[in-house]
Amino acid sequence: MTIKERYSKVIAFFQQQAPNAETELLYDNPFQLLVAVVLSAQCTDKRVNLTTPALFERFPDAAALSNASVEEIFTLIRSISYPNNKAKHLVGLGKMLMEQFDGEVPMTVEELIKLPGVGRKTANVITSVVDAQPNMAVDTHVFRVSARLGLTKNARTPLAAEKQLIRHLPKELVHIAHHWLILHGRYVCTARSPQCSGCGLRDICVFYKRVQAKQPTKTTHGK
């Protein structure tokens, strides 16, 4: 199977199974999404969604966030992973949004990564979700699933995986493909105990074939 055929099969599967895939983070505007994504680093979307309503009520925009103290933020996000660092990042993020971007969330990766707590992955999420830009955020799910399905080959880093995925995915599908791979990794192709028996992509899955090849051969013994 060529790489083009592999991508075509994967795309066809997800277009049928998850045509409207989207982020599971809850937000009402780009500012809220940015804060939620920063908080989601090494934390579940479910936990973030339980935490952000009170945070957004207290600090609804960049102006309010820029005037917050680290202690105030920490109190509201203490159930999130790494709350100390994230509280500092959010305060700094609010200040920089006000000082350099008139309180608005910028829509280029280059500008976003200047913000405290915002790396390439977060910037790719924001630009692809808000503006449907053809940017691929590679988290642990995307990295794992794309390798298992054979969409990437010998990609040792998230950036290497990102470049391979961008090279082969149709530009107009990159933003939704990000969600396809994340959700598949979250609910089907899990890190431990992947649900291969119920996966509609197992026939083309490199990982599944490798696992099957390791299974002991059954023998039939005569009576």
Side-chain angles (χ1 to χ4, degrees), residues 31-32 35-36 39 48-61 64-65 68-69 72-78 80 86-87 90:
F31 168 76
Q32 289 188 358
V35 170
L39 292 176
V48 173
N49 289 337
L50 290 172
T51 304
T52 49
L55 181 66
F56 293 152
E57 182 177 2
R58 182 82 171 272
F59 306 105
D61 51 32
L65 191 62
S69 68
E72 287 177 300
I73 300 295
F74 176 84
T75 300
L76 293 169
I77 67 168
R78 63 194 316 158
I80 295 283
K86 290 178 181 178
L90 290 183

Side-chain angles (χ1 to χ4, degrees), residues 6-50:
R6 185 174 298 277
Y7 270 81
S8 293
K9 288 181 178 295
V10 170
I11 289 169
F13 171 80
F14 283 123
Q15 284 182 322
Q16 181 178 30
Q17 298 297 318
N20 300 309
E22 59 185 4
T23 181
E24 293 186 316
L25 290 170
L26 302 178
Y27 69 99
D28 291 327
N29 54 56
F31 168 76
Q32 289 188 358
L33 178 63
L34 176 59
V35 170
V37 176
V38 169
L39 292 176
S40 72
Q42 296 181 286
C43 187
T44 65
D45 287 2
K46 182 178 180 181
R47 169 55 55 186
V48 173
N49 289 337
L50 290 172

Side-chain angles (χ1 to χ4, degrees), residues 38-197:
V38 169
L39 292 176
S40 72
Q42 296 181 286
C43 187
T44 65
D45 287 2
K46 182 178 180 181
R47 169 55 55 186
V48 173
N49 289 337
L50 290 172
T51 304
T52 49
L55 181 66
F56 293 152
E57 182 177 2
R58 182 82 171 272
F59 306 105
D61 51 32
L65 191 62
S66 69
N67 291 313
S69 68
V70 172
E71 292 72 22
E72 287 177 300
I73 300 295
F74 176 84
T75 300
L76 293 169
I77 67 168
R78 63 194 316 158
S79 64
I80 295 283
S81 60
Y82 307 104
N84 283 305
N85 286 337
K86 290 178 181 178
K88 294 175 184 176
H89 288 326
L90 290 183
V91 172
L93 181 151
K95 291 183 183 302
M96 187 172 286
L97 285 177
M98 294 303 297
E99 293 170 0
Q100 297 190 24
F101 301 104
D102 297 320
E104 299 296 323
V105 176
M107 275 299 126
T108 70
V109 170
E110 293 71 24
E111 290 174 314
L112 282 163
I113 61 176
K114 295 177 182 178
L115 298 169
V118 178
R120 184 177 181 85
K121 181 183 72 174
T122 295
N124 282 343
V125 170
I126 301 304
T127 53
S128 65
V129 171
V130 175
D131 201 35
Q133 293 180 29
N135 297 327
M136 174 59 67
V138 177
D139 68 353
T140 56
H141 297 304
V142 174
F143 191 78
R144 178 179 67 255
V145 173
S146 58
R148 286 180 174 178
L149 291 175
L151 299 179
T152 59
K153 185 176 182 180
N154 298 323
R156 304 299 183 189
T157 65
L159 181 58
E162 175 188 332
K163 289 180 177 179
Q164 289 188 34
L165 290 167
I166 291 293
R167 185 184 312 137
H168 297 292
L169 283 165
K171 187 175 182 179
E172 69 276 10
L173 295 180
V174 172
H175 71 285
I176 192 171
H178 161 71
H179 300 301
W180 287 339
L181 296 172
I182 281 182
L183 296 176
H184 195 65
R186 188 172 290 168
Y187 298 111
V188 181
C189 192
T190 52
R192 299 179 181 179
S193 304
Q195 309 301 307
C196 297
S197 61

